[in-house]
Amino acid sequence: MKRKIITSVALLAATLSVKAFSFGIPDDVNYTVRLGYSIGGTAPMGIPATIRSMNSYKPKSNLSLAIDAQKKFNDRWGIMLGLKIENKGMEVDATVKNYHMEMVQEGKRLAGYYTGNNVINTEGWLFTLPVRATFNVNENLLLRLGPFVSYVQSQTFDGYVYSGYLRENTPTGTKIVMGDTKETGATYDFSDDMRHFQFGVDVGIDWNFYRRWGIYADVSWGLTNIFKKDFNTIEQKLYPVYGTLGISYRLK
């Protein structure tokens, strides 16, 4: 599925490139193709007291492929529309205390307040449509800022707990001890509780360093909780925040 999605977007970019050169691009419109790598994560806004430390962090493949069209209003200002296919994900091992959640141990569903190690695995493939105002500092440097909407085509949010204990139902409830491995701990999977649309703000910079070639950097800040409105198993709302660094090629 991932290979098919990337291939489809690559063919779209190639098709638009051929059409652009075949029919001509208006003088006030620039097309740019981008390939980037993102790093970041899904986290609450502000670290709550229930999350004590992050023991390890591993990003997923986190590749993005995009094509943008910029229309200039004058020498400085313009607007840029885009289409991007991107992968965002991470695996985090964190130490938590009295963290409200649900899990499954030996086929039994448990709910309560967990203290110990919590491994979170999250990943998604997204189609993103950004709309950004642009400002040309000079002919080689461009600033971008604006909102985006993403459709999450496939998504995962699961994990496991280990080396800890759960207080069932209340902070002083029955103590259930978790083993020191994934197999002797407990697992969870909230993938079906995730929303398919995400909204946020994107800010970026382009630097054209050689003819049509350039490098770019983006920061995308999600403003919507990744979970559905009625999901309250995890006590905090979680937001995707990622930075991207990549190369670009201007078609005109």
Side-chain angles (χ1 to χ4, degrees):
M1 174 63 73
K2 296 177 182 178
R3 184 178 299 176
K4 289 181 179 179
I5 292 174
I6 293 175
T7 302
S8 298
V9 176
L11 289 174
L12 174 62
T15 300
L16 290 176
S17 301
V18 171
K19 288 184 177 180
F21 286 113
S22 298
F23 298 104
I25 300 176
D27 291 338
D28 61 348
V29 177
N30 294 321
Y31 287 92
T32 303
V33 178
R34 306 176 188 275
L35 177 64
Y37 180 79
S38 301
I39 189 168
T42 301
M45 294 297 100
I47 304 300
T50 51
I51 300 177
R52 295 306 176 94
S53 65
M54 186 170 69
N55 306 315
S56 67
Y57 166 83
K58 298 178 182 178
K60 299 294 184 177
S61 58
N62 292 1
L63 294 176
S64 66
L65 180 63
I67 184 166
D68 290 320
Q70 180 201 18
K71 178 178 174 58
K72 295 182 177 180
F73 299 136
N74 52 46
D75 290 340
R76 295 289 188 181
W77 293 96
I79 187 170
M80 180 178 287
L81 307 179
L83 171 62
K84 177 164 58 174
I85 174 71
E86 54 186 336
N87 174 243
K88 292 180 177 179
M90 66 172 190
E91 181 181 292
V92 170
D93 185 328
T95 299
V96 300
K97 184 175 182 179
N98 293 329
Y99 193 80
H100 184 267
M101 60 186 307
E102 293 181 1
M103 58 193 72
V104 176
Q105 184 184 52
E106 297 180 350
K108 181 181 179 182
R109 184 170 295 276
L110 306 170
Y113 295 82
Y114 175 72
T115 296
N117 287 74
N118 180 18
V119 176
I120 299 172
N121 172 65
T122 178
E123 185 172 15
W125 281 91
L126 305 87
F127 291 99
T128 298
L129 299 174
V131 180
R132 292 152 292 182
T134 63
F135 179 78
N136 283 84
V137 179
N138 53 51
E139 62 180 13
N140 294 319
L141 192 64
L142 175 73
L143 305 180
R144 299 176 275 111
L145 174 65
F148 69 84
V149 57
S150 295
Y151 175 75
V152 188
Q153 192 273 335
S154 64
Q155 51 197 350
T156 299
F157 191 103
D158 58 21
Y160 61 96
V161 299
Y162 70 99
S163 297
Y165 61 88
L166 179 78
R167 291 289 185 179
E168 197 168 15
N169 298 324
T170 68
T172 58
T174 302
K175 184 178 182 180
I176 302 173
V177 177
M178 304 296 165
D180 294 331
T181 66
K182 179 180 179 180
E183 291 71 23
T184 57
T187 62
Y188 56 87
D189 189 343
F190 304 135
S191 302
D192 292 337
D193 298 299
M194 301 178 74
R195 67 171 72 228
H196 283 286
F197 284 96
Q198 296 178 2
F199 303 91
V201 175
D202 178 271
V203 59
I205 183 171
D206 292 346
W207 177 48
N208 185 48
F209 64 86
Y210 179 71
R211 295 183 179 177
R212 299 179 187 271
W213 291 96
I215 60 175
Y216 74 96
D218 285 336
V219 174
S220 64
W221 195 292
L223 300 178
T224 49
N225 183 10
I226 64 169
F227 291 111
K228 297 175 182 177
K229 187 176 181 180
D230 58 353
F231 179 78
N232 53 18
T233 301
I234 296 178
E235 59 189 53
Q236 293 94 13
K237 295 181 179 180
L238 302 179
Y239 304 89
V241 181
Y242 283 83
T244 303
L245 184 65
I247 59 173
S248 61
Y249 182 77
R250 192 172 60 195
L251 301 179
K252 185 182 79 68

